[in-house]
Amino acid sequence: TGQRVCKECFFRVFETEVHHTIVDNGLFRPGDRIGIGASGGKDSTVLAYVMKTLNERHGYGLELFLLSVDEGISGYRDDSLETVKRNRDQYGLPLKIVSYEQLYGWSMDRIVEAVGRKNNCTFCGVFRRQALDRGALMLDLDHIVTGHNADDVAETILMNMLRGDLPRLGRCTEITTAGDGYIGRSKPLKYAYEKEIVMYAYLKRLDYFSTECTYSPNAYRGYARQFIKDLEAVRPSAIIDIIHSGEAMKVASTVAMPVPAQCERCGYLSSNAVCKACALLEGLERGIPKLGISRTVKDADGLPAHGGDGSSAVELVHFERLRERARAIRQQRLETADSGSCDADACLCADDGASGCR
């Protein structure tokens, strides 16, 4: 806005803008169970703090949870998760951690050993997207919020344009998405600049982790980020201009779009018989990691398997099974709401070292 504000007024303005983003877009309903995607970084830490603050200030009536994904990156994710655990104690929010090792049988360290550093972010992005949905089903959540800010949204728009990815270009500016058909997701910080978030975290003295991912320097997003920073230096409104342009873009009805279906292996929403995550897993298990990355899989059939067919790990966390379990947990929670206790065999309250029913 160009206003000059003091520190306390900046806090109020920042929080009020996030509040208006939530209310104007109708992101939540009273009683919703909301999972905050928590990585320990500045964005998710500010999101957790602001969501808790606004929930109490404005009486949203939400149940808030921290949901973290452990990709298995030594010296990076293990340290950032310690920050998340401190946030859990500082904000008094329950925490659930799901790991690639638990869900897929592979850690990112092992994946990088197999594929090298050129395409590792493809694996991580695909696996993390599904891991969040699986974790949400384990907690029986209604919605997931992520710390994506205005800079992130602008970068995503640019990347999808450069790749010619029309399906994602049509979705990436939406503040709320269907979460690939399972758990709805939203971005309460969509219109908050990264600079504002950094300033808020610094002035509030929030506890967050600021080290860059070990494997991210060669990520495609990094080039889009640098380009947008250069644009912003010349034209300060470049980021919001890109977002508004992306919001105004419409995909013509004549363009053939993917038809959603379910993965025959894990039950996840997919436009192919096998979803991207299962294709990537099959390549890893068979010792041909480029199988899931390449646009063609010719000559892949008949190769000797290496440790399985790629489906054994995901069968344990099949989406339909998780959904059935989530329904059972919700029904039991409703039935026992008056008693204030739960069945220890079905309830996830004691996960991750916590004690007692939350």
Side-chain angles (χ1 to χ4, degrees), residues 158-212:
L158 181 61
M159 290 167 62
N160 288 331
M161 289 181 63
L162 295 175
R163 287 189 300 220
D165 194 333
L166 289 178
R168 285 194 175 91
L169 182 60
R171 299 194 307 262
C172 67
T173 58
E174 297 176 359
I175 194 167
T176 298
T177 59
D180 291 324
Y182 285 90
I183 307 296
R185 298 189 191 187
S186 63
K187 302 182 278 282
L189 302 181
K190 175 184 175 182
Y191 297 109
Y193 288 94
E194 184 177 43
K195 292 177 180 178
E196 293 178 301
I197 292 171
V198 171
M199 186 180 296
Y200 186 90
Y202 175 75
L203 295 176
K204 280 284 187 180
R205 299 184 183 277
L206 300 184
D207 185 1
Y208 66 93
F209 186 78
S210 58
T211 302
E212 186 181 16

Side-chain angles (χ1 to χ4, degrees), residues 141-158:
L141 300 180
D142 297 296
H143 204 84
I144 299 173
V145 292
T146 59
H148 292 95
N149 57 48
D151 299 56
D152 297 327
V153 176
E155 291 162 12
T156 303
I157 292 170
L158 181 61

Side-chain angles (χ1 to χ4, degrees), residues 62-114:
L62 307 175
E63 290 186 68
L64 300 178
F65 300 80
L66 297 177
L67 177 58
S68 295
V69 177
D70 180 3
E71 299 94 341
I73 304 175
S74 300
Y76 169 70
R77 183 56 72 209
D78 45 1
D79 291 339
S80 70
L81 286 176
E82 291 302 314
T83 303
V84 175
K85 291 174 183 177
R86 292 196 299 271
N87 292 158
R88 171 197 62 193
D89 300 334
Q90 292 160 356
Y91 306 152
L93 298 176
L95 168 64
K96 175 69 178 177
I97 301 174
V98 292
S99 71
Y100 285 4
E101 191 74 47
Q102 167 198 359
L103 299 176
Y104 310 115
W106 288 77
S107 67
M108 273 307 298
D109 286 341
R110 287 183 58 209
I111 291 173
V112 172
E113 288 180 7

Side-chain angles (χ1 to χ4, degrees), residues 71 73 100 107-128 213-220 280 284 289 293:
E71 299 94 341
I73 304 175
Y100 285 4
S107 67
M108 273 307 298
D109 286 341
R110 287 183 58 209
I111 291 173
V112 172
E113 288 180 7
V115 307
R117 299 203 174 202
K118 185 176 180 180
N119 295 304
N120 60 82
C121 287
T122 298
F123 287 82
C124 196
V126 171
F127 288 167
R128 188 190 303 112
C213 174
T214 310
Y215 302 131
S216 69
N218 296 320
Y220 186 46
L280 291 171
L284 290 170
I293 297 174

